[in-house]
Amino acid sequence: ISGYLPEEMGEVEVRKVVEEVRKEWDKGSAGQKAGATPAAGRLIGAAMKKLGGRADGKLVAKIVNSLSF
């Protein structure tokens, strides 16, 4: 079954994507709003969407949680 799945990205590659998403996220209107999901959760969701299943969600969460907000 692993032959059908996309190859997972390494931590360095995932960190670059997360940082890129955060920069885009900080520039746009996607910042935290009253009553919205906490910032880390929103960033994890945006990063996972951009990564398209090529990274483990636990790794993405670990990287996002290591960033300061």
Side-chain angles (χ1 to χ4, degrees):
I1 194 167
S2 63
Y4 295 100
L5 299 173
E7 186 175 329
E8 281 198 4
M9 298 171 71
E11 185 170 350
V12 174
E13 297 166 301
V14 173
R15 184 172 294 277
K16 287 179 184 177
V17 173
V18 168
E19 289 172 356
E20 178 182 314
V21 169
R22 181 166 184 199
K23 287 177 188 174
E24 292 171 6
W25 190 67
D26 286 342
K27 288 180 188 177
S29 62
Q32 187 166 347
K33 299 174 184 165
T37 306
R42 292 174 56 92
L43 184 55
I44 291 168
M48 290 300 294
K49 185 175 180 179
K50 185 155 189 161
L51 289 163
R54 295 174 292 158
D56 179 40
K58 290 180 184 180
L59 176 60
V60 174
K62 175 184 155 191
I63 292 169
V64 168
N65 290 325
S66 73
L67 302 174
S68 59
F69 284 91

